[in-house]
Each structure stands twice: as C-alpha cells, then as structure tokens.
Amino acid sequence: MTIYPVSPNTVLANALSHAEDVLSPRILDTHPERIVLVVGTQINGAPHIGTSLVQTLTFATAARLRQKFGVPTNVVFAALDNAPHTVVTDGASGHRYQRAYVHALGEQAIVEQVDQMYRPLFDALSHRLKVPYEVDTYTQQQAAEHFRRTWLRVLPRMDAARWYLAPSSGVAHVRVPCPVPDCGWAEKYAERTRVYPDGPEHATVTAVCLHHGAYEVTITPTDGGYLDLATLYRNLVKELALTGSHGTMHVMVKGTDWMPGSQLVDGALQAVGLSRGQLPARLFCPQIVTDTGAKLSKSLIREGRATLPAGAAPWMLDTREWPGSFTEYVDRLLDMVEVVLSDPRHFFRSYSAGELARMMTEPIARSVPAP
C-alpha cells in the first residue's frame, strides 16, 4: 500500500474516467472475443523497477478490461533474447559487430533466465489477478512460419516503409547472423548486408562475418537464417503479423519512452497497406525518470555515465535486491499499481525514481484522494 501522489491534470486524463478507457473506442468498434495484451522487454540481465511496473500494470489492466467488457483477457510476454550481448569493432573494416544473447548463451540458457528472473513475478500476478499469460521469445517468434511469411510479404513494399523505419538513412537494418555453428556474429548496422527478394517464398541475404568472411543465406517461410530485425523493423513485422487475428484484439503495452517510436511504426504500417483502423491498439505506461528528467537507465549507471538518483535505491536497478520478501515485493507492486490506475491523472504521467521509491516503501494513507 502507498500514499497517493499529487498528479496534474492533462487533456487526455480529463477526457477519461479510468485509464483503461483509452482503449474503449477500439474495443467497442471491433467487439473482440478476447483481448491479448503484449508486453516485451530485452532479456539482458535482471529486471529493474520500470520493467516490473509496466509488467504489473499490464496484468492489472487486463483484469480491469475483463471486468469492464466481459471478455477473456490474457498477457503475452515477448522476451527479446536478440538483445546485444557483446559488441566489438572489426579492426580491418571499422564496422561494429554484435552477438545476441541467444547466440552467446544458447536457447536453453535464455529459457532458464526467463524462468529465474521473470516467471516468478508473472506467476504471482497471474495467480493474484486470474489473468493467464504465455512467454514468447523473439527466437521463437522469428522462426514461426507466419512471422517469416509476413517479412517476405513486406519486402516488395519496403521502399514505401523504409524511411519510417530508418528516418536518417532510409536503410532498415536486417541482421542475419553468420550460420557457421557456434558463431552468430552479425554486423550491427548491416552495412554490407543485402536482401534480394525472390518471390513470395524466398529471399537471399548476403553479408560479411567478423570471423568467416562473406556468406549467403536463403530465407523461406519454414527455414533459413535467424531474422534479427532492428527495433522499429521488428515491431512493423510483429504487429503486421498480428493484424487480422479473427476475434482477437491485440494491445501493445509499452513504456512512455516508446511513444515517439510508435508513431514511426504506425507510419510504416500504413505505408505497407494498413488503414488507420487496422493499426494495433497501444497503451503507454508511466516512465521512471531521474531528477534530470531522463529515463532511469541501469545501463548508464552500470557504465558509470550516470549516478543513482537521489531518493532511489539499488533494488530499483536489480529487483532481486528488494530488502524484503518476494511476496512483500509483489504486494507493494500491486498496491502501487492500484493507486496508479485509480485516476487517469496518476497513469498518464512520469514518476521520478525517488517518488516511486516512496510509493513502494511508505505506509498506506488512503485518506487523501486524487484531486
């Protein structure tokens, strides 16, 4: 339980009675048989408080939508195991190369990492809120026939979409790592990667490996190399693949820092042929910021480029360091999320790391309502 924050009014908050009402137009327009909330995160270490907050809000919003609209809801956790694990510079070419977590650690290690660091919270939230969930790694996603067919189908239309996906260069990065066993290196910015579409069932990708030189890979709907798409490109294909799901409405749940990028993804989706009404529904959750207004970044702090902000605590960067029990951590998260969802003013805003720490640790004081 926690103390209510004092939150300013906004145009959006003033138009809503509840935060989840922002999804009402899409739900009432499509009359879905079920609603799936999709929330993802990079599998690059222990989760921080911002990750836990968004995930908890996802489950809580799913429960509220189920109660409000009377349709089944569930959560899909997109575990992005293609996050960079190691990045090096090739001395000969000057190009940057990366090896993703899944290629550095292996698929079994990724499964174990998800089981250890994420499933305990998901299991607890699912049990408390009666919302089922499933885990979908990016490795599984890119190997699925529907995802790969969608990518192949987009290739002939990339001229229309590429400037949305890469506004500075017009080159949307696709990395197909070296297929030599136990290698997995790929040019980070895909400078020498070329994609040659060959009809709806095939595409040929050529690239240059850090260790093994030039190589060629054929991509088909059911076989071929690992499709490691740059962030906006990945979201284009993933969200395009979700359109047309009969009876299912997908809601993309992200932190507010994703809002500008989602405008570009929506532009790309429309460029390849979707209408405005076909775009996926989105829900942007509160962002945790430092006293400078920047997003709380564990990587910057870990690299020594930023310091832990005033009022924050080490457990906010690694939630395993929460000083109490895991059960207490879940209790505090759910109590805080109940407050955040109690008024749209509390939801559509950012929170400083210090304010969030206060909300997670101070005793309950519910006698002060939201303004």
Side-chain angles (χ1 to χ4, degrees):
M1 301 298 219
T2 188
I3 294 176
Y4 276 95
V6 177
S7 300
N9 200 4
T10 64
V11 172
L12 179 57
N14 197 49
L16 306 174
S17 298
H18 306 283
E20 65 271 18
D21 291 346
V22 73
L23 300 171
S24 293
R26 296 297 299 273
I27 296 172
L28 296 173
D29 181 54
T30 59
H31 301 288
E33 297 172 7
R34 70 173 185 141
I35 301 173
V36 177
L37 289 87
V38 182
V39 60
T41 192
Q42 289 189 336
I43 305 301
N44 58 356
H48 59 82
I49 186 59
T51 300
S52 291
L53 174 62
V54 173
Q55 291 167 350
T56 307
L57 281 167
T58 302
F59 276 88
T61 302
R64 292 166 75 101
L65 290 173
R66 180 186 61 212
Q67 180 178 9
K68 182 179 179 68
F69 294 100
V71 296
T73 59
N74 70 287
V75 170
V76 171
F77 173 57
L80 303 177
D81 54 355
N82 64 324
H85 178 275
T86 309
V87 180
V88 299
T89 301
D90 177 24
S93 67
H95 294 175
R96 301 279 279 172
Y97 277 82
Q98 73 175 48
R99 203 171 185 222
Y101 267 79
V102 66
H103 297 117
L105 305 180
E107 290 188 49
Q108 183 57 41
I110 295 297
V111 170
E112 293 171 359
Q113 187 166 327
V114 170
D115 288 347
Q116 293 171 7
M117 295 186 180
Y118 295 93
R119 278 197 188 272
L121 179 59
F122 293 157
D123 288 342
L125 295 174
S126 179
H127 175 72
R128 299 277 193 95
L129 299 171
K130 311 303 180 192
V131 174
Y133 79 93
E134 59 186 88
V135 175
D136 184 19
T137 66
Y138 179 75
T139 295
Q140 295 169 328
Q141 188 179 80
Q142 64 81 35
E145 180 177 351
H146 183 54
F147 184 94
R148 296 167 82 84
R149 283 191 182 278
T150 302
W151 179 73
L152 289 166
R153 182 160 52 93
V154 163
L155 287 181
R157 302 184 181 184
M158 279 302 293
D159 271 348
R162 62 192 182 96
W163 285 103
Y164 288 101
L165 302 177
S168 297
S169 65
V171 179
H173 300 152
V174 53
R175 292 178 288 266
V176 178
C178 177
V180 173
D182 300 321
C183 181
W185 286 95
E187 279 188 320
K188 183 173 180 61
Y189 301 112
E191 294 96 335
R192 292 175 291 185
T193 298
R194 300 291 181 269
V195 180
Y196 302 97
D198 186 22
E201 297 285 323
H202 297 85
T204 300
V205 178
T206 61
V208 181
C209 175
L210 175 64
H211 300 296
H212 302 103
Y215 61 92
E216 180 178 294
V217 176
T218 298
I219 305 294
T220 72
T222 58
D223 198 10
Y226 188 102
L227 277 175
D228 183 6
L229 308 179
T231 305
L232 297 180
Y233 197 174
R234 179 185 71 234
N235 277 261
L236 166 69
V237 177
K238 177 185 74 174
E239 295 177 8
L240 188 62
L242 293 176
T243 60
S245 300
H246 180 70
T248 300
M249 172 179 157
H250 290 88
V251 179
M252 304 295 112
V253 184
K254 300 178 181 294
T256 304
D257 56 310
W258 247 98
M259 191 177 292
S262 291
Q263 295 180 40
L264 291 172
V265 175
D266 286 347
L269 287 167
Q270 292 178 86
V272 300
L274 292 193
S275 67
R276 181 69 185 174
Q278 292 175 306
L279 298 179
R282 304 191 188 279
L283 183 67
F284 297 103
C285 297
Q287 181 173 267
I288 313 305
V289 299
T290 68
D291 49 2
T292 69
K295 176 185 175 181
L296 180 67
S297 169
K298 65 178 180 181
S299 59
L300 290 181
I301 294 174
R302 185 172 56 238
E303 295 166 4
R305 299 165 61 191
T307 59
L308 192 66
W315 63 263
M316 301 183 73
L317 302 181
D318 184 342
T319 58
R320 296 174 298 178
E321 296 185 18
W322 172 261
S325 67
F326 175 72
T327 299
E328 181 193 36
Y329 179 67
V330 176
D331 289 340
R332 294 283 184 163
L333 277 172
L334 286 170
D335 289 337
M336 180 176 64
V337 161
E338 182 181 345
V339 171
V340 171
L341 285 169
S342 68
D343 191 295
R345 299 183 188 194
H346 301 333
F347 189 91
F348 296 104
R349 54 162 290 182
S350 297
Y351 288 90
S352 70
E355 175 72 354
L356 197 78
R358 180 191 69 79
M359 293 173 68
M360 282 284 288
T361 57
E362 288 193 1
I364 179 176
R366 290 187 180 278
S367 59
V368 181

